[in-house]
Amino acid sequence: MELKSNIPDGPLEQKWDKHRFDMKLVNPANKRKYKVIVVGSGLAGAAAAASMAELGYEVECFCYQDSPRRAHSIAAQGGINAAKNYRNDGDSIRRLFYDTIKGGDFRAREANVYRLAQVSVNIIDQCVAQGVPFAREYGGLLDNRSFGGAQVSRTFYAKGQTGQQLLIGAYQALERQIGLGKVKMHTRHEMQELIVVDGKARGIVTRDMVTGEIESHMADAVCLGTGGYGNAFYLATYAKGCNGTAIWRAYKKGAAFGNPCYTQIHPTCIPVTGDHQSKLTLMSESLRNDGRVWVPKKAEDCGKKPSEIKEEDRDYYLERKYPSFGNLAPRDISSRAAKQVCDAGLGVGPGGRGVYLDFQDAINRLGASTVAAKYGNLFEMYERITDDNPYKTPMRIYPAVHYTMGGLWVDYNLMSTIPGLFVLGEANFSDHGANRLGASALMQGLADGYFVIPYTIGNYLAGHKPDKMNADQPEAKAAAAAVQDRIGKLLAVNGKSTPTDFHRELGKVMWEHCGMARNEKGLEKALELIPEIKERFWKDVKVGGSGDELNQSLELAGRVADFIELGELMCMDALQRRESCGGHFREEWQEDGEAKRDDENFAHVAAWEYKGEGQKPVRHTEQLSFENVHLATRSYK
Amino acid sequence: MEKHLNLTLQVWRQKNAQDPGGFKNYEAKGISTEMSFLEMLDVVNEGIIKKGEAPITFDHDCREGICGACGMVINGRPHGLRERTTACQLHMRSFNDGDVITLEPWRASAFPVLRDLLVDRSSFDRIIAAGGFISAPTGSAQDANCLPIPKDNADRAMDAAACIGCGACVAACPNASAMLFVGAKVSHLGLLPQGQPERTSRALDMVAQMDAEGFGTCTNHGECEASCPKGISLDNIAMLNRDYLKASLTYRPEVESGGF
């Protein structure tokens, strides 16, 4: 397998401009002859589908939800970065580029990240033109805030619902194209297989989730905007339906999987209450601006009410360990520190997996009404879920999985190692390296959908003759038969444990051994346990109902089967990456408790190639070269 | 404090759109008050699957009250009795040991039941496709700060745009009207300068589609606002009525060429 990044030559600032000129164009009159499939209708998928339809391509879009508006991009709270420099505070495209490269712990491509920073300004313009109601100042101009530790104010936001508003903007653009007949929308359809003909991606096999019908859809190119795979951990801040099936099926058809071990764990989530827990809820990171994080110093105090624990018996561990950043230490650092104190038996709440986030000092200093004005909606949300009042008693928080930086490997054109298969947004291995900065996920999804794929798809299609291929192709028939076969097998097992039982079991293994801190022994243990779970799954899973009806148990079973395999690859990748970088912390590689990168041996992307059932996948590497930034060590002490 | 409840669920079971459907009782035992309502249903469903039967089907996704997927009538109220709360954000501590809980799907002819508590809300998408947008093809935008918008208008637009499209307003309305949903979109876009060029056609086209889908008309019961998990205000219906009336009086059909 050859990994050709196809990064244009020339100076960094001119690469995208030059590339746009060098790329081939499709004649406007010919565009309607090409059909493009888009899977997923979140920020990346909806933006791509709408934009390509506006250009004149025939587009078919698929989502598993009942409406494209429900994609999980909708849950993003904080904001979206753009190098507008509206604050006159020294921001620039270069600064956004640098912050993103550094935030990713120098494990992303310079050229991709620079392009992301360049188009970030166009995204804000586009969204405002669509009617996205960003926060404004009294003069009527757009407001900004600082976010995620950036030293400039470059984050645009719409209350605490930025993702919702951006997605509704993209959704409305998509619905407009649906109304015009330019996009054919297939809701409640789940991609089950990729169809590859003569080495090119030519279609997908879907299951109609209402009727159970297996359908083949053919096209001239396929775009996946299907999101991340954090639900491999079972408990995560993802929506329940988020899954890795689309990218996993593509991987098994030959698309390389980039950096599967890079997952982001967010420090401020509401802790688990019991085995019944089905998902975790994020509390905005902004709370750490005024909240102080602590645990009791003595294990015997952990069961007491927080108000009964004296000031001198509290350990404000972030302030102690990172005096200059304190409670605002970055996500990966804060998450690991919480795990360490809980591992030491000092955690609070059920199961001892929680730390306090205390607003008492802020309330004393600023007054309850000022605190309410800043965080009132978050306090209310917290109380609704936990029945605790954060004005009176500290919040309990614990880290949770909420983003995957890894994903299918793509070149500069967002094309995977399968020609004609493009991957957008969180589904690709992306521009975030080993750690994503706050307010950058929305930026990347929309950059890929609105401003990258509409150009690069043309370059691919210009070299491909539209042939209206139909689903009678042997490859299409074989793919559909494989899907039928798999569903038949899932239903036929008729064992004793539900898909959720296996999902929960997998999640525990992943969280224990491939979570916030990883080590060789643990990963090797996980690599023994996961194949065993897989074997048991196919012998003992119990799926209720049948295949030719709306069957949520069957849907979940298929997703869990893929998560088990994907989880194994994540552990393999984590084992092979013998360094600590960003969200990937290997206990063997640390210095004074901090992550220790190995630039000499690991300044590369790991891209895994599927070699067949029962075969070990092969790890390929794409060397990252840094010509415009200096590889520095991140320190927050 | 965590407690455990024993409950009886009366659940609407309907195999598909053709099936007449009916209620079926389930026992939910040892339910922790820490669970969300949907987690309680998960527990019941695990038991049903282990018996080899099809689980109770319901739409859900983000489980944090923002995607709008979940929605069921709980004891006669869309999303249950707690105000401004989606079903996924309702917690079992709102219930008492021994309670009998009735679960039904949204009832509206424009939301046909597909299975159990899960309905087809694609009529909402078609209303948006008819005019709930601003035509701004990718790439055509000017600088975002070229057009200042008074903060008050932007804030009001944001309040209207907070609609999650769950359909509770329709389920609560005795007429199964979608006026709150349509009004929220007409207000969101109509309050912004970018939304002005299509304001007339938007009101007319969205209302025409709403009627074609079989939603009823508004007779000012106010049940929609009361059951809306996002607190979308009835004022939006007033704005829709104003826009619609104005549009009906001023609308001029497109002419083949020239015009006057």
Side-chain angles (χ1 to χ4, degrees):
Chain A
M1 178 178 281
E2 197 188 4
L3 299 171
K4 273 183 72 179
S5 63
N6 290 317
I7 294 170
D9 50 23
L12 186 65
E13 299 78 12
Q14 290 165 28
K15 283 182 195 288
W16 180 229
D17 202 29
K18 176 176 179 296
H19 192 57
R20 280 191 292 173
F21 180 73
D22 290 342
M23 279 189 289
K24 286 175 280 191
L25 296 171
V26 177
N27 181 306
N30 286 338
K31 286 199 177 100
R32 64 186 161 77
K33 296 175 186 163
Y34 289 98
K35 187 194 276 189
V36 181
I37 282 174
V38 178
V39 187
S41 65
L43 289 181
S51 302
M52 289 192 287
E54 285 162 5
L55 286 172
Y57 297 112
E58 188 188 341
V59 177
E60 292 203 30
C61 184
F62 297 77
C63 69
Y64 72 77
Q65 299 91 342
D66 71 320
S67 163
R69 69 178 293 154
R70 313 243 188 258
H72 199 53
S73 307
I74 206 155
Q77 298 170 357
I80 176 165
N81 286 330
K84 279 285 196 186
N85 194 29
Y86 281 160
R87 301 293 109 184
N88 199 31
D89 57 359
D91 200 10
S92 63
I93 287 167
R94 196 167 186 95
R95 188 173 296 281
L96 176 54
F97 153 74
Y98 181 74
D99 287 353
T100 308
I101 281 275
K102 182 185 169 201
D105 220 353
F106 304 95
R107 290 293 176 265
R109 277 188 207 133
E110 280 189 343
N112 284 54
V113 177
Y114 196 85
R115 175 177 67 189
L116 177 67
Q118 282 177 305
V119 304
S120 70
V121 297
N122 305 105
I123 295 170
I124 302 303
D125 299 343
Q126 180 61 32
C127 294
V128 167
Q130 290 169 341
V132 171
F134 284 122
R136 286 178 184 267
E137 298 183 321
Y138 284 99
L141 300 178
L142 291 160
D143 194 14
N144 291 108
R145 59 184 172 196
S146 62
F147 203 82
Q151 287 169 304
V152 292
S153 264
R154 64 159 76 98
T155 304
F156 294 79
Y157 65 101
K159 283 196 173 167
Q161 291 134 270
T162 317
Q164 178 196 32
Q165 293 308 315
L166 295 176
L167 182 63
I168 287 175
Y171 157 74
Q172 287 172 186
L174 173 61
E175 285 296 337
R176 176 170 167 258
Q177 294 303 312
I178 295 168
L180 291 168
K182 308 284 189 190
V183 175
K184 186 159 187 233
M185 187 73 217
H186 304 263
T187 59
R188 296 196 198 273
H189 276 67
E190 185 159 16
M191 174 176 158
Q192 299 282 310
E193 200 55 83
L194 181 74
I195 299 170
V196 179
V197 182
D198 297 332
K200 290 177 172 178
R202 293 307 306 270
I204 60 172
V205 180
T206 59
R207 179 172 181 272
D208 180 326
M209 293 157 73
V210 177
T211 64
E213 199 181 332
I214 305 302
E215 304 161 356
S216 298
H217 302 270
M218 308 302 285
D220 296 291
V222 176
C223 300
L224 302 183
T226 53
Y229 49 90
N231 274 348
F233 290 86
Y234 182 63
L235 288 181
T237 65
Y238 286 73
K240 288 299 285 176
C242 291
N243 66 82
T245 289
I247 55 172
W248 193 248
R249 300 280 120 203
Y251 163 75
K252 287 186 140 185
K253 281 282 166 77
F257 205 120
N259 298 329
C261 79
Y262 287 167
T263 47
Q264 185 167 74
I265 295 175
H266 198 293
T268 56
C269 301
I270 299 178
V272 177
T273 56
D275 256 359
H276 57 259
Q277 188 101 23
S278 63
K279 80 153 270 156
L280 296 169
T281 303
L282 182 79
M283 299 303 294
S284 173
E285 191 170 49
S286 64
L287 290 168
R288 289 196 286 145
N289 283 310
D290 285 303
R292 295 180 72 196
V293 177
W294 65 274
V295 290
K297 278 184 183 164
K298 294 178 283 191
E300 60 265 32
D301 285 349
C302 290
K304 287 186 187 167
K305 281 187 185 166
S307 57
E308 292 166 359
I309 301 169
K310 287 192 220 114
E311 189 63 26
E312 62 266 28
D313 291 332
R314 301 176 176 191
D315 180 13
Y316 295 89
Y317 59 88
L318 284 177
E319 296 171 22
R320 172 171 58 79
K321 285 182 173 171
Y322 309 101
S324 58
F325 275 70
N327 296 298
L328 291 171
R331 289 177 180 179
D332 46 351
I333 308 267
S334 306
S335 294
R336 277 197 291 279
K339 179 183 177 349
Q340 283 163 3
V341 291
C342 293
D343 285 349
L346 299 167
V348 295
R353 306 314 287 183
V355 301
Y356 289 124
L357 178 61
D358 196 336
F359 293 87
Q360 199 54 52
D361 284 355
I363 291 168
N364 293 344
R365 187 176 74 242
L366 305 166
S369 60
T370 306
V371 171
K374 275 179 150 173
Y375 308 114
N377 61 335
L378 295 167
F379 280 25
E380 189 192 320
M381 178 164 139
Y382 179 84
E383 186 173 5
R384 193 161 286 230
I385 294 173
T386 63
D387 208 25
D388 275 342
N389 179 349
Y391 294 101
K392 295 187 175 147
T393 188
M395 284 186 179
R396 279 185 298 106
I397 54 162
Y398 199 66
V401 173
H402 92 128
Y403 192 86
T404 50
M405 282 76 69
L408 292 184
W409 182 93
V410 289
D411 68 3
Y412 188 71
N413 296 314
L414 303 182
M415 191 159 85
S416 70
T417 51
I418 302 175
L421 178 71
F422 295 81
V423 193
L424 323 174
E426 192 181 346
N428 70 27
F429 85 108
S430 94
D431 304 347
H432 306 299
N435 176 53
R436 180 178 64 72
L437 286 181
S440 284
L442 303 180
M443 174 172 69
Q444 188 227 339
L446 289 179
D448 288 0
Y450 283 137
F451 295 111
V452 180
I453 191 71
Y455 298 86
T456 58
I457 197 120
N459 186 47
Y460 171 76
L461 292 174
H464 166 93
K465 203 165 176 288
D467 55 7
K468 302 270 175 212
M469 184 181 277
N470 65 36
D472 292 337
Q473 291 292 321
E475 291 88 345
K477 282 186 170 167
V483 172
Q484 287 283 15
D485 181 51
R486 199 169 121 89
I487 290 171
K489 275 188 187 150
L490 285 168
L491 289 163
V493 178
N494 200 20
K496 289 195 176 60
S497 305
T498 65
T500 303
D501 290 335
F502 287 103
H503 197 181
R504 203 180 275 132
E505 187 181 353
L506 172 73
K508 281 184 178 158
V509 172
M510 293 301 294
W511 183 241
E512 179 70 21
H513 301 298
C514 197
M516 278 184 278
R518 301 152 176 190
N519 61 53
E520 184 161 327
K521 220 174 125 194
L523 289 164
E524 279 172 351
K525 172 97 179 153
L527 288 170
E528 283 169 25
L529 292 171
I530 297 171
E532 191 267 320
I533 295 174
K534 181 178 168 182
E535 201 187 323
R536 227 164 357 95
F537 177 91
W538 288 101
K539 277 186 191 154
D540 191 40
V541 74
K542 174 92 174 175
V543 180
S546 69
D548 55 0
E549 59 182 342
L550 207 167
N551 186 341
Q552 293 176 324
S553 174
L554 177 63
E555 291 160 19
L556 182 62
R559 294 169 192 166
V560 172
D562 287 337
F563 275 135
I564 295 172
E565 296 180 5
L566 211 167
E568 187 179 9
L569 188 71
M570 289 164 75
C571 293
M572 284 183 192
D573 188 45
L575 182 64
Q576 292 298 319
R577 187 164 283 278
R578 294 183 162 83
E579 65 161 351
S580 293
C581 59
H584 170 68
F585 185 76
R586 280 288 299 265
E587 287 170 347
E588 303 93 320
W589 283 273
Q590 49 180 314
E591 214 162 18
D592 305 327
E594 300 304 323
K596 195 175 165 211
R597 253 184 12 236
D598 178 356
D599 291 332
E600 200 171 320
N601 295 305
F602 285 95
H604 61 235
V605 176
W608 293 81
E609 181 187 7
Y610 181 69
K611 283 290 186 188
E613 188 65 35
Q615 306 289 313
K616 284 253 179 281
V618 174
R619 185 181 191 267
H620 301 273
T621 59
E622 177 201 337
Q623 193 61 36
L624 293 167
S625 59
F626 295 92
E627 292 157 7
N628 298 276
V629 298
H630 168 68
L631 275 73
T633 303
R634 293 158 84 217
S635 171
Y636 301 94
K637 287 205 167 175
Chain B
M1 235 347 139
E2 186 179 2
K3 282 188 290 193
H4 290 86
L5 313 174
N6 293 322
L7 307 161
T8 305
L9 306 183
Q10 294 185 324
V11 185
W12 184 262
R13 299 299 310 255
Q14 182 176 337
K15 197 168 162 48
N16 51 43
Q18 290 73 43
D19 181 28
F23 285 102
K24 196 170 174 193
N25 283 14
Y26 296 90
E27 298 299 316
K29 290 204 181 338
I31 298 299
S32 163
T33 47
E34 293 291 313
M35 289 183 195
S36 73
F37 195 81
L38 301 189
E39 284 167 352
M40 179 274 292
L41 282 180
D42 290 343
V43 171
V44 174
N45 270 340
E46 289 290 284
I48 295 176
I49 294 168
K50 282 187 176 153
K51 282 190 206 157
E53 295 166 22
I56 300 164
T57 304
F58 58 94
D59 257 325
H60 65 100
D61 208 15
C62 79
R63 295 200 176 194
E64 45 190 273
I66 192 78
C67 76
C70 70
M72 57 189 77
V73 177
I74 303 169
N75 288 339
R77 283 281 300 262
H79 294 297
L81 281 169
R82 187 160 180 173
E83 276 185 7
R84 288 199 178 200
T85 304
T86 55
C88 65
Q89 293 290 288
L90 185 66
H91 277 71
M92 294 315 293
R93 65 179 78 91
S94 303
F95 295 88
N96 299 309
D97 193 35
D99 276 0
V100 178
I101 304 172
T102 308
L103 295 178
E104 292 173 85
W106 287 171
R107 303 279 190 196
S109 62
F111 290 162
V113 174
L114 293 176
R115 180 164 197 149
D116 300 341
L117 307 174
L118 182 147
V119 301
D120 178 356
R121 288 171 288 197
S122 56
S123 47
F124 268 12
D125 289 333
R126 289 189 292 275
I127 291 174
I128 297 296
F133 50 75
I134 289 168
S135 298
T138 306
S140 59
Q142 59 179 350
D143 184 86
N145 259 348
C146 276
L147 205 53
I149 302 175
K151 180 170 167 35
D152 183 48
N153 284 13
D155 287 348
R156 284 167 61 211
M158 176 66 218
D159 289 343
C163 167
I164 57 172
C166 65
C169 48
V170 175
C173 178
N175 307 333
S177 169
M179 290 279 276
L180 192 66
F181 171 76
V182 176
K185 190 48 62 193
V186 161
S187 299
H188 161 208
L189 302 177
L191 283 162
L192 301 171
Q194 291 87 350
Q196 300 313 309
E198 293 164 297
R199 193 165 172 180
T200 300
S201 57
R202 180 178 308 120
L204 293 173
D205 292 345
M206 289 182 79
V207 169
Q209 189 64 37
M210 178 180 85
D211 290 344
E213 297 289 349
F215 290 103
T217 48
C218 172
T219 48
N220 293 315
H221 282 77
E223 293 287 343
C224 51
E225 183 187 297
S227 67
C228 176
K230 297 294 151 185
I232 303 293
S233 160
L234 276 179
D235 293 349
N236 293 295
I237 295 184
M239 181 148 173
L240 169 61
N241 282 330
R242 279 200 302 278
D243 272 21
Y244 184 75
L245 180 65
K246 200 172 157 198
S248 310
L249 295 173
T250 58
Y251 172 69
R252 283 189 290 184
E254 278 181 47
V255 289
E256 283 294 310
S257 63
F260 54 89

